[in-house]
Amino acid sequence: MEKFKGIFPALLTPFDENNRFNEKALEQLMEMNLKKGVRGFYVGGSTGEAFLLSESERKQLYRSAAQIANGRCTLIAHIGAISTDQAAEFGRTALECGYDAISSVSPFYYGFTFPEIKQYYFDLVGQVELPMIVYNIPKYSGVTLSADNIGEFLSDDRFIGVKHTSNDYFAMEQFKSAYPDKVVFNGFDEMFLAGLAMGADGGIGSTYNFMAEKFVKMHTLVKEGRLSEAQPIQKEVNRIIAALIKVGVLKAEKAILKMMGIDCGALRKPFGQLSKEEESYVYETVKNLF
Ligand code: NGF
């Protein structure tokens, strides 16, 4: 499980000026983060605009990230879709590309029952021979997986962990204590230290794209029992995240990377873009990172 413990940027998907997938920028983004000591990448998640990509674009993204990584780090493919068959198809691509694990949000929109959601995940692990990391993100999926629900997955060997983008840290402590050998990823970057305190083994986050070094440092300090030294870093990170939340997190992240020399283009519509004023506000907030 060691290869899953640490810092995993939830990769942004870069686009070029014609709104096409930009492999070169993806390479720049991954190389910059590898130099900062990340353990691996979460490819094609919420941050990667998974649900705004066509099927062929998503497959290309999995392939490109695997080629760029070239065995240097751990790769997790987010394969989530509303349809089981489509998610399984993405899972087969991840397997062909040599990914270390697959992950999925719960199927959403139709208000599926928990037995239906459970069947979705078990169908996927039945069809794709890769370990599964369940992705609990109630804010976006509208589905809240309780500690008991999560236990129904973690009791099966094919489920190796959970990515918990939820501020229910009581639940996190409960499923981590019940399954200490499974891997738990903290999802909210602004609560990273809280997650580590409640048992997370690391994190998957969007703001890691441009400030992974801060999370690598906090993770190391906490492992060494130096929590009080990590707290000022979390405060600094939260000052930045508070500004991002005001203007739109993903828009701001792409703008910051452009300021850092990695042009990831715009978000896919219907996302809009930052105004000039918002861009200046973001620049003033993060300029000491450059
Ligand atoms: O975007 C959200 C939803 N959460 C992300 C992250 O959990 C998403 C988080 O980093 C992710 O990992 C993925 O792309 O699949 C936030 O952007 C960050 O904490 C700022 O709020 O809330």
Side-chain angles (χ1 to χ4, degrees), residues 8-11 42 44-49 78 105 135 137 139-140 163-165 186-191 204-208 241 244-245 249-250 253:
F8 286 71
L11 279 176
Y42 192 77
S46 325
T47 306
E49 300 176 67
H78 171 255
V105 287
Y135 184 2
I137 180 164
K139 180 178 163 187
Y140 281 177
K163 164 167 157 41
H164 192 61
T165 304
N186 186 72
F188 278 126
D189 312 355
E190 54 276 41
M191 290 178 256
I204 296 171
S206 71
T207 66
Y208 305 178
I241 294 178
L244 267 49
I245 289 171
V249 173
L250 298 183
E253 288 173 358

Side-chain angles (χ1 to χ4, degrees), residues 63-114:
R63 278 189 213 105
S64 298
Q67 276 160 14
I68 295 163
N70 195 22
R72 292 178 291 164
C73 63
T74 306
L75 286 182
I76 304 167
H78 171 255
I79 62 163
I82 305 181
S83 141
T84 302
D85 290 344
Q86 187 165 45
E89 177 64 21
F90 290 136
R92 284 187 283 274
T93 304
L95 180 66
E96 274 163 32
C97 297
Y99 276 68
D100 297 282
I102 48 174
S103 178
S104 178
V105 287
S106 299
F108 49 91
Y109 189 75
Y110 289 110
F112 297 109
T113 63
F114 181 67

Side-chain angles (χ1 to χ4, degrees), residues 13-290:
T13 300
F15 300 113
D16 66 16
E17 61 282 7
N18 297 315
N19 200 20
R20 285 189 302 244
F21 169 55
N22 183 343
E23 188 177 62
K24 188 75 207 141
L26 182 73
E27 185 176 0
Q28 291 177 298
L29 183 59
M30 289 175 69
E31 292 298 343
M32 175 180 78
N33 278 293
L34 283 169
K35 284 194 193 101
K36 292 179 177 186
V38 303
R39 175 69 77 163
F41 296 97
Y42 192 77
V43 184
S46 325
T47 306
E49 300 176 67
F51 302 108
L52 297 169
L53 302 179
S54 69
E55 187 174 323
S56 64
E57 284 176 321
R58 249 173 108 169
K59 289 182 176 177
Q60 183 57 50
L61 174 66
Y62 300 136
R63 278 189 213 105
S64 298
Q67 276 160 14
I68 295 163
N70 195 22
R72 292 178 291 164
C73 63
T74 306
L75 286 182
I76 304 167
H78 171 255
I79 62 163
I82 305 181
S83 141
T84 302
D85 290 344
Q86 187 165 45
E89 177 64 21
F90 290 136
R92 284 187 283 274
T93 304
L95 180 66
E96 274 163 32
C97 297
Y99 276 68
D100 297 282
I102 48 174
S103 178
S104 178
V105 287
S106 299
F108 49 91
Y109 189 75
Y110 289 110
F112 297 109
T113 63
F114 181 67
E116 288 165 339
I117 291 170
K118 185 173 173 184
Q119 190 59 48
Y120 166 89
Y121 281 105
F122 276 80
D123 283 341
L124 293 180
V125 294
Q127 291 180 42
V128 182
E129 271 187 61
L130 277 175
M132 168 66 82
I133 296 166
V134 174
Y135 184 2
N136 187 28
I137 180 164
K139 180 178 163 187
Y140 281 177
S141 66
V143 177
T144 300
L145 297 174
S146 67
D148 286 345
N149 294 155
I150 288 172
E152 292 192 37
F153 298 116
L154 297 186
S155 54
D156 185 298
D157 285 349
R158 295 168 296 179
F159 291 83
I160 59 162
V162 182
K163 164 167 157 41
H164 192 61
T165 304
S166 159
N167 53 17
D168 187 350
Y169 286 103
F170 181 31
M172 181 191 278
E173 184 280 318
Q174 287 178 308
F175 60 73
K176 181 65 183 178
S177 294
Y179 298 95
D181 297 335
K182 304 281 174 159
V183 67
V184 174
F185 295 96
N186 186 72
F188 278 126
D189 312 355
E190 54 276 41
M191 290 178 256
F192 180 65
L193 286 185
L196 293 186
M198 293 305 256
D201 301 287
I204 296 171
S206 71
T207 66
Y208 305 178
N209 277 284
F210 67 93
M211 54 177 174
E213 67 282 5
K214 295 193 182 297
F215 293 90
V216 170
K217 183 77 185 162
M218 282 193 272
H219 188 242
T220 304
L221 287 169
V222 170
K223 276 199 300 190
E224 292 170 353
R226 296 157 66 191
L227 176 68
S228 62
E229 289 171 66
Q231 282 166 331
I233 307 176
Q234 180 76 69
K235 280 191 187 173
E236 167 61 0
V237 157
N238 287 6
R239 182 188 66 80
I240 295 169
I241 294 178
L244 267 49
I245 289 171
K246 279 194 189 139
V247 299
V249 173
L250 298 183
K251 283 181 241 183
E253 288 173 358
K254 283 198 164 175
I256 293 167
L257 283 160
K258 190 170 180 183
M259 293 168 200
M260 295 173 116
I262 302 178
D263 189 349
C264 293
L267 296 177
R268 278 268 159 93
K269 284 184 176 179
F271 277 120
Q273 297 193 31
L274 293 188
S275 65
K276 285 283 161 232
E277 293 72 30
E278 288 170 330
E279 239 178 80
S280 311
Y281 169 65
V282 170
Y283 174 74
E284 287 305 318
T285 308
V286 297
K287 64 183 179 196
N288 63 353
L289 291 178
F290 312 138

